């Protein structure tokens, strides 16, 4: 399975300058937006770093309160080391939010605060939340057969087997559909029986992508518009869903990804606005959704579990997903190392956008460990 070509196609056709990364070892200039020590450029001089209440940036504004590294007693030297590592790994943007406030905001090369980048499969987390919102509005249930929303014949299987696949199976990668040919193709001829639902976990993109149509048909609203009205407009996100081949990929700037992370950190509430009121769904989304891969919720990756499965593999690996990261970390992880980390115990959100930094994986990679060993050195001098 080759995924690097997706980034190539996207960068050629869409926001070309926004997708550019330093691939050839050329030295690039780091753009640091974070306030220097003793100079808080957003005018939030009265921000107390000991106050752990969450701050939410205004919806219709570029204003965003900040902490300096020194205010948090973080290590500037280790921050420099982290930045050098990120730059070496083709990073375009890197953000760290503490209590909702910016501590680090780094851009490299031609990438800027306004530049848009694909989330790749980290965008699955947006879809998971949209399913929860649609269920809360009684438009669907995750226990519904997919056939209820896509009509019979969306696979090549007999009706009885097709009807056994539920929306929950789509969210948890347990549909049982044959993943051995093309994991992206969702045409009926590509969707054939391999296992009974809930019998095996495999990172199969096609059933996930069909959630777009499930949401559109169940709500009577175009998938892109449903995202915009239910999430994007509510929290001030800028971004667009773009259809590329069989994939529907989300593009945004780094701050918009940070906004979404902050929404998740606060369990679906944005300040006093409840984007998702159903906390039972939220808890199910961000905890082990099945026993086959305890490190996977509803399209979210979970740290701190006893084992995990990875995209492109049928094997079960012992141990935690990211050993150096906090145990309660949840993550949206996309191809070519797009990262959204949310850590409730630390009131942290971390964003990384850029080019492939490791093994050209669809999700988890060794780059996760590389980031967290260095970020820990920054936060724990």
């Amino acid at each position: 399975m080759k995924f690097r070509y997706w980034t190539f196609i996207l960068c050629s056709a869409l926001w070309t300058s926004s997708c550019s990364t330093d691939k050839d070892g050329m030295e690039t200039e780091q753009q640091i937006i974070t306030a220097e020590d003793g100079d808080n450029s957003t005018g939030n001089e009265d921000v107390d770093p000991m106050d752990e209440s969450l701050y939410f940036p205004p919806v219709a504004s570029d204003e965003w309160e900040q902490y300096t590294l020194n205010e948090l007693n973080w290590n500037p030297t280790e921050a420099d080391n982290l930045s050098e590592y990120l730059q070496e790994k083709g990073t375009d943007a890197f953000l760290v939010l503490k209590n909702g406030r910016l501590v680090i905001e780094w851009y490299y090369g031609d990438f800027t605060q306004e530049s848009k980048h694909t989330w790749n499969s980290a965008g699955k987390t947006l879809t998971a939340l949209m399913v929860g919102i649609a269920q809360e509005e009684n438009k669907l249930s995750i226990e519904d057969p997919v056939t209820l929303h896509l009509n019979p014949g969306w696979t090549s299987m007999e009706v009885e087997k097709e009807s056994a696949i539920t929306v929950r199976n789509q969210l948890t990668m347990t549909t049982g559909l044959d993943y051995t040919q093309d994991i992206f193709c969702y045409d009926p001829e590509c969707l054939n029986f391999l296992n009974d639902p809930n019998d095996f976990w495999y990172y199969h993109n096609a059933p996930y992508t069909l959630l777009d149509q499930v949401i559109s048909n169940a709500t009577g609203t175009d998938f892109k518009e449903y995202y915009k009205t239910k999430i994007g407009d509510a929290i001030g996100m800028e971004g667009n869903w773009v259809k590329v081949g069989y994939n529907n990929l989300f593009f945004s700037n780094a701050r918009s990804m940070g906004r979404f992370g902050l929404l998740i950190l606060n369990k679906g509430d944005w300040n006093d606005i409840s984007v998702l009121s159903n906390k039972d769904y939220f808890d199910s989304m961000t905890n082990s959704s099945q026993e086959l891969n305890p490190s996977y919720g509803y399209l979210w990756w979970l740290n701190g579990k006893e084992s995990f499965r990875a995209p492109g593999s049928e094997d079960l690996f012992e141990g935690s997903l990211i050993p150096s990261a906090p145990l309660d970390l949840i993550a949206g992880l996309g191809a070519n190392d797009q990262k959204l980390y949310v850590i409730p115990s630390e009131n942290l959100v971390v964003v990384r956008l850029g080019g492939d930094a490791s093994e050209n994986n669809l999700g988890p990679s060794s780059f996760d460990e590389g980031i967290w060993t260095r970020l820990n050195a920054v936060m724990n001098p």
Side-chain angles (χ1 to χ4, degrees):
M1 301 174 193
K2 298 181 179 179
F3 308 104
R4 189 186 302 275
Y5 77 98
W6 285 116
T7 299
F8 173 79
I9 292 172
L10 289 164
C11 292
S12 299
L14 302 159
W15 299 294
T16 303
S17 62
S18 299
C19 291
S20 61
T21 56
D22 180 11
K23 297 291 185 185
D24 301 317
M26 297 176 63
E27 185 175 354
T28 58
E29 179 184 357
Q30 174 191 350
Q31 305 160 33
I32 302 179
I33 309 300
T34 306
E36 297 296 332
D37 183 42
D39 174 22
N40 197 317
S41 60
T42 56
N44 50 306
E45 292 83 358
D46 296 329
V47 172
D48 180 2
M50 302 303 293
D51 181 3
E52 296 188 355
S53 61
L54 287 181
Y55 161 81
F56 296 88
V59 168
S61 171
D62 290 333
E63 177 186 346
W64 203 311
E65 289 186 2
Q66 302 179 11
Y67 291 134
T68 66
L69 295 173
N70 282 1
E71 283 174 332
L72 295 175
N73 294 317
W74 289 9
N75 190 321
T77 301
E78 294 295 343
D80 290 341
N81 293 336
L82 171 63
S83 179
E84 290 175 7
Y85 174 75
L86 293 169
Q87 183 171 338
E88 290 170 0
K89 295 296 186 178
T91 300
D92 288 331
F94 188 77
L95 272 61
V96 178
L97 310 181
K98 174 71 172 177
N99 301 333
R101 296 171 177 87
L102 282 163
V103 188
I104 291 174
E105 185 174 25
W106 295 335
Y107 301 100
Y108 301 88
D110 295 331
F111 206 86
T112 70
Q113 195 177 95
E114 291 75 33
S115 299
K116 292 183 174 64
H117 198 291
T118 177
W119 293 24
N120 288 333
S121 285
K124 287 179 167 66
T125 57
L126 286 165
T127 304
L129 189 63
M130 292 164 67
V131 170
I133 295 169
Q135 178 172 263
E136 184 172 89
E137 295 179 335
N138 295 317
K139 304 294 186 182
L140 59 77
S141 166
I142 63 171
E143 309 304 338
D144 289 342
V146 178
T147 304
L148 183 64
H149 303 290
L150 295 186
N151 297 322
W154 64 275
T155 72
S156 294
M157 301 188 300
E158 59 189 58
V159 173
E160 181 180 358
K161 288 188 179 297
E162 182 182 88
S163 299
I165 300 173
T166 66
V167 175
R168 181 190 292 273
N169 294 134
Q170 291 178 287
L171 289 168
T172 59
M173 299 288 178
T174 57
T175 63
L177 291 166
D178 189 355
Y179 52 81
T180 61
Q181 301 300 315
D182 183 345
I183 69 165
F184 295 106
C185 175
Y186 53 74
D187 297 331
E189 58 268 26
C190 295
L191 302 177
N192 299 286
F193 178 84
L194 184 62
N195 302 295
D196 286 326
N198 302 308
D199 277 1
F200 197 73
W201 188 97
Y202 195 86
Y203 195 81
H204 193 179
N205 218 63
Y208 152 74
T209 305
L210 285 171
L211 281 170
D212 300 359
Q213 295 180 36
V214 168
I215 291 170
S216 294
N217 294 341
T219 63
T221 305
D222 179 75
F223 173 80
K224 298 177 183 179
E225 183 62 24
Y226 197 71
Y227 150 76
K228 185 176 185 298
T229 57
K230 300 300 180 179
I231 302 176
D233 290 348
I235 69 173
M237 286 181 67
E238 298 177 4
N240 305 92
W241 290 94
V242 179
K243 195 73 173 177
V244 180
Y246 283 107
N247 286 326
N248 198 16
L249 302 180
F250 191 73
F251 281 77
S252 83
N253 57 37
R255 283 191 170 197
S256 288
M257 193 183 228
R259 283 177 179 267
F260 181 64
L262 184 53
L263 174 69
I264 297 302
L265 182 64
N266 204 37
K267 296 189 174 183
D269 293 336
W270 185 264
N271 210 351
D272 57 352
I273 297 172
S274 186
V275 175
L276 176 71
S277 299
N278 187 342
K279 304 312 177 192
D280 288 339
Y281 177 88
F282 184 93
D283 289 343
S284 297
M285 179 179 73
T286 55
N287 283 285
S288 301
S289 58
Q290 28 63 50
E291 296 180 353
L292 300 166
N293 183 3
S295 296
Y296 206 71
Y298 295 167
L299 305 175
W300 281 89
W301 291 95
L302 315 173
N303 200 38
K305 308 305 178 183
E306 66 276 10
S307 61
F308 66 92
R309 297 181 187 271
S313 172
E314 297 180 347
D315 297 330
L316 180 68
F317 301 94
E318 297 300 320
S320 186
L321 191 69
I322 312 172
S324 293
L327 295 179
D328 64 332
L329 174 147
I330 62 174
L333 302 174
N336 295 331
D337 289 308
Q338 316 315 316
K339 312 289 187 184
L340 172 61
Y341 305 118
V342 179
I343 307 92
S345 62
E346 302 289 341
N347 267 3
L348 280 177
V349 174
V350 180
V351 169
R352 187 273 180 180
L353 296 171
D356 177 36
S358 48
E359 305 91 0
N360 199 22
N361 289 344
L362 271 178
S365 71
S366 62
F367 188 46
D368 294 300
E369 187 74 0
I371 289 174
W372 276 98
T373 54
R374 289 162 178 82
L375 186 55
N376 285 337
V378 176
M379 298 187 299
N380 303 293

